Amino acid sequence: MSGRLILCATPIGNLDDMSPRAAQTLADAHIIACEDTRRTRKLLSHLGLTAREMVVYNDSTERRRAPELADAVARGRVVVLVSDAGMPGLSDPGFHLVKLCAEKALPIEIVPGPNAALSALAISGLAPGRFVFEGFLPRRSGERKRHLAELAQEKRTLVFYESPHRLASCLQDIADVLGEDRPAAVARELTKMHEEVRRGTLAELATWAAKAPPRGEMVVVVSGAVGDSKPEVSDDDLAGAAKELMGSGVPRSQALSEVAREMGVPRRKVFNALLKD
Ligand code: SAM
């Protein structure tokens, strides 16, 4: 068998979601690189398998281990990368190793399978045609709101990973910044015994999550901005508003700040609009 890196998706809950090809891939691996050996051993034992060699590849070892594993691939080893659940690399370790193997022109293969974001998107009832995967939002509310402000005009469906203890505050922040009436869904414990999908407006979901904080793993899916929600402000509009203020005696610097605040755009954008004018 020639050396290669294989990214192998694993179940996000129900172990029977492991495909026969994925199971065979684990059985054939020279090295299984995994986030948590106990978790992966549980999966292997469910499949009646034992690993030849296991290496811990997690957030703290990723940068150090990637060169060792790429070397193993170069020496003819079949390295199979799995995460605790779902697709490695997606909000999980994997990127550094894939990048390194790609740079070294080493063979890389994929064994696709379960993924929480796509599963939640598909079952959400919100338009799945065009979407943006945002992973986890920043933990602190201020930073989170600034990040969300950048997404306020995004027309594609938004997909976020979230932890149960932050769900209520996150939904409230999303509602505050993107609008309380936006349709959304929380997909919880997918493929597990307590699988549940809650659909409603952001305000309804925030109230639900605050009243009885749901447990387990969850994905938040939010409808994109509708076309006429907030028209993009043109440079002409910005320059016009700033000139109007300056014409009435407001100093240039103050006028830039006032227009930026009123129009909800960065001050630099008003400055550039004035330069262009
Ligand atoms: N790599 C994984 C994937 O492909 O989905 C995601 C790993 S990320 C560290 C873990 C997050 O995925 C959880 O916090 C949750 O947001 C989401 N997640 C994982 N399993 C889930 C499930 N069964 N139901 C809902 N969300 C899940």
Side-chain angles (χ1 to χ4, degrees):
M1 228 185 299
S2 56
R4 57 197 187 278
L5 169 68
I6 307 179
L7 301 180
C8 183
T10 56
I12 56 170
N14 190 327
L15 296 187
D16 289 339
D17 286 340
M18 191 76 181
S19 73
R21 182 174 169 232
Q24 192 59 49
T25 301
L26 290 182
D28 294 341
H30 291 128
I31 302 170
I32 297 178
C34 60
E35 278 189 274
D36 177 349
T37 50
R38 268 184 310 174
R39 179 103 178 216
T40 301
R41 274 209 187 91
K42 200 174 151 204
L43 173 64
L44 290 172
S45 109
H46 176 79
L47 300 166
L49 301 173
T50 43
R52 285 190 225 178
E53 185 181 344
M54 283 180 127
V55 166
V56 174
Y57 186 85
N58 58 25
D59 286 334
S60 36
T61 61
E62 185 168 23
R63 281 175 188 272
R64 178 160 49 85
R65 281 274 156 81
E68 292 167 21
L69 290 168
D71 283 351
V73 172
R75 281 187 276 107
R77 310 270 86 188
V78 175
V79 175
V80 175
L81 176 67
V82 296
S83 63
D84 280 351
M87 185 61 77
L90 288 183
S91 295
D92 266 341
F95 168 65
H96 288 291
L97 182 55
V98 176
K99 185 166 177 274
L100 195 59
C101 288
E103 281 165 4
K104 291 174 182 280
L106 292 167
I108 309 171
E109 287 177 7
I110 184 93
V111 177
N115 165 256
L118 290 182
S119 305
L121 177 68
I123 202 173
S124 67
L126 301 169
R130 298 178 70 222
F131 67 93
V132 183
F133 172 59
E134 278 288 319
F136 289 96
L137 281 165
R139 287 170 187 218
R140 289 206 203 99
S141 180
E143 207 185 322
R144 192 156 66 210
K145 283 190 164 177
R146 280 196 293 282
H147 184 90
L148 286 165
E150 289 172 18
L151 296 170
Q153 301 307 312
E154 177 56 65
K155 291 190 171 59
R156 291 169 290 184
T157 302
L158 300 152
V159 183
F160 304 97
Y161 282 162
E162 202 40 81
S163 70
H165 63 276
R166 273 196 298 271
L167 181 73
S169 59
C170 265
L171 282 171
Q172 192 54 60
D173 283 353
I174 300 175
D176 288 348
V177 179
L178 303 190
E180 299 203 322
D181 294 333
R182 279 238 202 150
V186 175
R188 192 174 76 84
E189 293 287 87
L190 294 172
T191 78
K192 301 185 203 176
M193 192 191 292
H194 298 294
E195 175 172 306
E196 176 189 23
V197 182
R198 273 265 157 169
R199 301 177 182 86
T201 63
L202 280 169
E204 287 164 350
L205 291 173
T207 306
W208 161 72
K211 262 194 200 145
R215 293 189 186 174
E217 299 196 278
M218 47 204 72
V219 181
V220 176
V221 186
V222 182
S223 195
V226 285
D228 57 357
S229 63
K230 185 180 168 197
E232 177 90 13
V233 196
S234 73
D235 282 348
D236 281 352
D237 289 342
L238 294 174
K243 279 199 289 190
E244 198 180 317
L245 279 179
M246 290 183 323
S248 65
V250 176
R252 181 185 163 96
S253 172
Q254 192 184 329
L256 290 177
S257 301
E258 277 187 30
V259 173
R261 198 180 54 247
E262 276 169 22
M263 304 283 200
V265 297
R267 192 173 181 276
R268 173 147 291 276
K269 193 166 161 61
V270 188
F271 178 74
N272 289 340
L274 259 187
L275 283 185
K276 270 195 236 160
D277 196 57

